[in-house]
Amino acid sequence: MKLIINGAEREVDGVQTIADVVAHFGLAGKPLVVEADGAVLTAEQWETADVHANMQIELVHFVGGG
């Protein structure tokens, strides 16, 4: 399925929910903010938020350091 991840087209197969997308990119369990088609989703919503072709998803994760 073609998704727009952080502004870039990506082919991501085997995903049905935002939680699947988060796991696909190895971000499960990390501090993360997800925006899907302009709406910020809480972590509790990820399991029930379905994804669709051409969905625009922003994955913003935080890293420490100086």
Side-chain angles (χ1 to χ4, degrees):
M1 170 185 319
K2 185 177 85 176
L3 300 173
I4 311 299
I5 305 291
N6 293 349
E9 287 187 9
R10 304 285 298 262
E11 191 66 31
V12 182
D13 294 324
V15 297
Q16 296 181 351
T17 66
I18 291 294
D20 295 337
V21 174
V22 169
H24 176 85
F25 287 102
L27 297 171
K30 297 185 177 180
L32 184 68
V33 174
V34 176
E35 179 183 295
D37 285 340
V40 176
L41 302 177
T42 65
E44 292 79 19
Q45 294 173 300
W46 299 352
E47 287 288 337
T48 58
D50 293 332
V51 295
H52 56 81
N54 299 311
M55 189 173 205
Q56 295 189 28
I57 301 171
E58 298 291 327
L59 302 173
V60 180
H61 64 99
F62 303 95
V63 294

